[in-house]
Amino acid sequence: MAGTRLAFVAAALVAALPVGASAAEFVTIAAGGTAGVYYPLGGALAEIFNQHVPGVNASVQATGASVANVNLLAQGQAELAFIQNDIAYYAANGTEMFQGRKVATLKGVATLYPEVIQIVALKQANIRSVADLKGKRVAVGDIGSGTEANARQILEAAGLTYKDVSVSYLSFAEAASNLRDGHVDAAFVTAGIPTAAIQDIAVQKEVTIVAVPSDLARKLRQRYPFYTAVTVPGGTYRGIDQDVATVAVKAMLVTRADLPDDLVFRLTRALFDNLPRLGQAHVRGKDVSLEGARDGMSLDLHPGAARFYQQAGG
Ligand code: GLU
């Protein structure tokens, strides 16, 4: 049978490897949905590793994003993952959605760029504040996303819970098509800007971004210190010409404690040697820098990454 013969050939090939050589090291990079920013950056990273780290066979995987990615790392099903710095912190410390199930294996590689919490609403829904979401149909992010946690926390800061809104768990792409078809009134999106899914809906429908003003941001930060105040500059999306105040967290690249120091060192070095490739994949890739790579880092660094920063003079 062809399968048996293939298995035999594969076994013979492995047996024929010269002493000291090893089979390919598979590096799965857990990203997010395809209409986000993690996914195109993850694709670029896989390309960088395949071209510049001998012996590595890297690929990107579409996932539900941050919380799902923590679980993939914990189960050994991914070697690298994009995770929001707030979610990584909760996982490493066993708090919030990780209450009672601390994930000790998470180690930091680098922080990357700000992820902005964008509450996109149909203009016709007349939603002028977070409190106005009461009674509305709201897409709160995919199951297992960091977006979903941000949605819950921001609603809470405005005195609302999921009982006060009609919640649906949708990826960014699904949220955009549901807004377009009028099946939801608003959607939370935590991602680098511009986010493809929002660009997409903004050219098809009249939309607004609901502000998280400074008083609400302050309240939110008292309980969840990872949020920082930012603005979505006017002109980021078609038809949204005014700056909008909101909050942001940070995207991080995370790995597992059990990965060899040397492998993580080589991956980290390849990342920083090839930053322009990240900038080509998405403009937020241009925010990644050696100087900023430990700002907002909410995990202990992996020793391989720490060695890279030390040698790079950081
Ligand atoms: N930060 C988002 C999340 O974890 C995903 C962002 C993206 O896909 O770019 O929910």
Side-chain angles (χ1 to χ4, degrees):
M1 289 224 340
T4 322
R5 196 160 67 231
L6 260 185
F8 174 75
V9 171
L13 273 178
V14 170
L17 279 173
V19 181
S22 54
E25 290 174 281
F26 288 96
V27 174
T28 296
I29 305 166
T34 52
V37 179
Y38 290 176
Y39 192 76
L41 288 178
L45 260 188
E47 224 178 272
I48 290 170
F49 297 152
N50 287 331
Q51 282 172 11
H52 300 284
V53 188
V56 160
N57 186 337
S59 58
V60 63
Q61 189 184 328
T63 73
S66 293
V67 177
N69 291 352
V70 169
N71 295 330
L72 287 167
L73 285 176
Q75 292 155 9
Q77 289 174 24
E79 281 65 46
L80 283 173
F82 288 81
I83 301 176
Q84 294 177 196
N85 65 344
D86 52 341
I87 305 297
Y89 181 87
Y90 302 142
N93 294 280
T95 57
E96 297 294 318
M97 69 290 284
F98 293 97
Q99 186 73 49
R101 54 181 196 106
K102 198 167 163 156
V103 184
T105 191
L106 303 184
K107 295 291 166 196
V109 175
T111 56
L112 305 171
Y113 58 88
E115 295 197 78
V116 179
I117 288 94
Q118 304 162 87
I119 310 172
V120 192
L122 293 176
K123 209 167 230 167
Q124 72 204 39
N126 251 318
I127 299 167
R128 300 189 188 283
S129 67
V130 177
D132 285 349
L133 289 170
K134 189 169 180 165
K136 302 288 185 187
R137 297 163 303 168
V138 184
V140 293
D142 214 342
I143 292 177
S145 65
T147 301
E148 193 274 320
N150 300 140
R152 225 169 334 110
Q153 294 167 354
I154 290 168
L155 288 171
E156 172 198 285
L160 301 178
T161 71
Y162 278 2
K163 293 205 181 91
D164 300 306
V165 294
S166 163
V167 164
S168 42
Y169 297 89
L170 302 175
S171 71
F172 297 161
E174 289 165 342
S177 60
N178 276 269
L179 279 167
R180 185 195 59 216
D181 298 340
H183 296 322
V184 297
D185 302 304
F188 281 79
V189 172
T190 302
I193 58 172
T195 314
I198 304 179
Q199 287 175 304
D200 205 47
I201 181 67
V203 296
Q204 304 185 62
K205 277 278 193 184
E206 299 281 321
V207 292
T208 60
I209 295 183
V210 181
V212 179
S214 56
D215 53 334
L216 193 58
R218 215 171 308 122
K219 201 164 158 202
L220 195 57
R221 263 208 311 272
Q222 278 168 7
R223 173 129 194 234
Y224 307 105
F226 286 97
Y227 289 107
T228 57
V230 295
T231 52
V232 179
T236 302
Y237 300 106
R238 194 199 70 99
I240 304 178
D241 301 325
Q242 307 289 322
D243 288 1
V244 181
T246 183
V247 287
V249 292
K250 226 161 189 197
M252 275 172 48
L253 194 62
V254 178
T255 190
R256 302 195 318 248
D258 61 295
L259 257 70
D261 293 2
D262 183 58
L263 175 61
V264 176
F265 174 83
R266 289 183 295 136
L267 295 173
T268 312
R269 186 177 58 192
L271 157 66
F272 285 100
D273 281 351
N274 294 280
L275 290 179
R277 176 70 192 87
L278 288 186
Q280 284 160 16
H282 190 280
V283 66
R284 291 277 73 80
K286 296 188 178 162
D287 294 350
V288 183
S289 75
L290 191 53
E291 301 72 46
R294 283 159 292 170
D295 296 348
M297 171 62 66
S298 59
L299 297 171
D300 293 336
L301 283 177
H302 190 285
R307 177 154 66 89
F308 168 76
Y309 293 119
Q310 205 174 14
Q311 287 191 12

